[in-house]
Amino acid sequence: MMGNYTVRAFWDSEAGVWVAESDDVPGLVTEAETMELLVEKLHGLIPELLEENGVLTAGIRREIPFCIYGQRMETLAYG
């Protein structure tokens, strides 16, 4: 079994999208309008990038556990 992969996600309020990147998955940088769409994109991108980086072999079925840590900063008016 492969190790867990960590993905950091943060909300880019100017662009209105979630941005994901990872030190564990070389080349991973992507964005989506919702966290759900971001996870959907990651399901395709993570195996693709791991294969391109020689971590996975095409055609061999494996489970790839990954954890997403999300951060969203908000400002509210008070007073």
Side-chain angles (χ1 to χ4, degrees), residues 1-3 61-65:
M1 184 168 155
M2 303 171 68
R61 182 170 168 77
R62 295 182 187 244
E63 291 185 357
I64 305 169

Side-chain angles (χ1 to χ4, degrees), residues 13-32:
S13 58
E14 287 184 25
V17 294
W18 283 96
V19 179
E21 49 191 32
S22 175
D23 294 332
D24 297 337
V25 183
L28 178 63
V29 178
T30 191
E31 61 185 42

Side-chain angles (χ1 to χ4, degrees), residues 8 16 25 34 39 42 44 48 51 55-56 59 64 66 68-69 72-74 76:
R8 294 176 311 281
V25 183
T34 67
V39 170
L42 292 171
E48 180 181 311
E51 186 177 317
V55 178
L56 293 179
I64 305 169
F66 67 97
I68 303 172
Y69 294 95
R72 181 172 177 160
M73 178 73 109
E74 294 286 333
L76 58 93

